[in-house]
Amino acid sequence: MRERSDVRPRAGWMVMGKRGIPWALEVSRVLAVFFSLLPSASLQCKINKCSSEYLASPLHAGPKKDTCTALRVYYSCVVRTARSCRGDLSYHATQHGIEDLMNQHNCSKDGPTSQPRARTPLPPPPPPPVLTDSQERSDGPEVCHYERSLPRNTAPPNYTHCGFFGDPHLRTFGDEFQTCKVEGAWPLIHNKFLSVQVTNSPVLPGSLATATSKLTIIFKNFQECVEQKTYHAETDELPAAFADGSRNGGDPNGVSTLRVVEKVPGQHVEIQARYIGTTIVVRQVGRYLTFAIRMPEEVVNSVEEGDNQDLYLCLHGCPANQRIDFRSVRTRAGEAHSTGRPRSSSGTQGFTFKSAKAKCKERLPVEDLYFQSCVFDLLSSGDINFTMAAYYAFEDVKMLHSNSKRYHIFEKDALSGATREGKNVLLVFLLNVLAVLLWTECCTIHL
């Protein structure tokens, strides 16, 4: 007769040798999930947290060494909940279950422990950082990267911005804001490194309102960095390449130092000229083009010998005889609106002063000079696309201007700038008169 073995009664699972180990593991997982759903466990007893961490650990299904480590961590977590979980069914069942599993795997309660790592997918790698000109990796020489080419221990370069958009409106490198006539071809920039010229056409037959229909940019040959390249755009033709069909400054170093990047086909192109620290944005909005540039001050002032730069709009603004005081247009429109009289302008096409302000307010909530230029363009042309031209011009300012405090320009800023300019002209005139008087006095004394 077989002798009955004396088994001490205890709570837990009874298993038959090694064949019972997988079964016990599955039961422990099921019970851990089941007990985690019990309301009593979720209110005070935090045993479900220990069970969740154990199930999420990749160690419990791994080699014996890892399994023992996971069980020790599991057991330690359960012991820490003894005070709040005493008398809780899930707590006692889980504790005895862990002890059985440790016996089956010959795991001691003393040994190394490490917090089980949650079985979660690895996060995607972070995107590569946006590198500045000085950090851009390239095989080209340092002279072909503007910031790298600067002497060490020098102050960082001061970047300036010029924009040209709409009817047209000009923001100079000195942050002056002007509205101009400038019909025909006009130079915006001309220095040792590049030239920019725009051609402005009437918006409507017989109208004084003009807008940019053509744009030409010439990047001059510079040392071993770039070959001479020409970019030409006009209405309904905003290419993603230079005039010769290439998209960069040529071999061997121009590939990384000068390139054309198409942002939105037919609507938005960006030209990056790293050898002069310059970024140019060209857009087509409606039927007309807009232009914006970010350029170091040193490059702006790199004047060709014998060139006085007087006619370059981005540097000195529009000539006095080409400027338009849009405040008078706004005043006349306001008077016409208040009296109910129709405006004499043939290009307004239904926009009143009030409706133009409302339309511009949708995109430009701050009533700065970009907002005012939008209102002016709607009143003078009636083309609703000029609303988006002013909006994108301001978006380019936020991207290209180095001083966030100077994004907005208000009418009082423009008036103060005009006042300073008038005072400077008056001062020069008075000095000239004084010089003539002194010269005349000296000649009289000499005689």
Side-chain angles (χ1 to χ4, degrees), residues 344-367:
S344 60
S345 172
S346 60
T348 54
Q349 298 186 3
F351 273 106
T352 64
F353 182 62
K354 183 177 180 180
S355 63
K357 287 187 66 175
K359 176 57 66 175
C360 293
K361 200 78 170 179
E362 294 175 5
R363 290 286 182 175
L364 299 160
V366 178
E367 294 193 16

Side-chain angles (χ1 to χ4, degrees), residues 136-142 144-145 148 252-253 256-257:
E136 188 72 27
R137 296 181 59 188
S138 171
D139 295 329
E142 288 191 355
C144 296
H145 292 264
R148 286 183 185 177
N253 302 316
S256 61
T257 57

Side-chain angles (χ1 to χ4, degrees), residues 371-393:
F371 171 85
Q372 302 291 356
S373 67
C374 172
V375 174
F376 174 85
D377 290 351
L378 292 184
L379 291 174
S380 61
S381 70
D383 188 345
I384 198 171
N385 289 304
F386 281 121
T387 304
M388 295 305 298
Y391 168 75
Y392 283 126

Side-chain angles (χ1 to χ4, degrees), residues 40-55:
S40 60
S42 61
L43 292 175
Q44 293 182 350
C45 181
K46 303 299 181 183
I47 192 70
N48 60 333
K49 181 176 183 294
C50 301
S51 301
S52 300
E53 290 180 352
Y54 172 72
L55 292 175

Side-chain angles (χ1 to χ4, degrees), residues 164-194:
F164 196 75
F165 68 97
D167 191 7
H169 308 281
L170 170 69
R171 180 172 182 156
T172 69
F173 285 126
D175 283 334
E176 293 183 25
F177 198 98
Q178 301 171 356
T179 299
C180 311
K181 302 175 186 176
V182 291
E183 183 177 350
W186 288 81
L188 291 182
I189 302 170
H190 181 75
N191 55 44
K192 293 180 179 179
F193 303 100
L194 82 162

Side-chain angles (χ1 to χ4, degrees), residues 231 238-242 246-248 255 258-265 267-274 279-282:
Y231 181 83
L238 190 66
F242 293 110
S246 65
R247 294 195 175 200
N248 56 59
V255 174
L258 176 63
R259 61 176 183 166
V260 181
V261 180
E262 186 176 52
K263 298 293 186 178
V264 181
Q267 298 180 29
H268 182 189
V269 166
E270 186 174 300
I271 305 176
Q272 300 166 354
R274 295 193 178 96
T279 301
I280 297 174
V281 176
V282 182

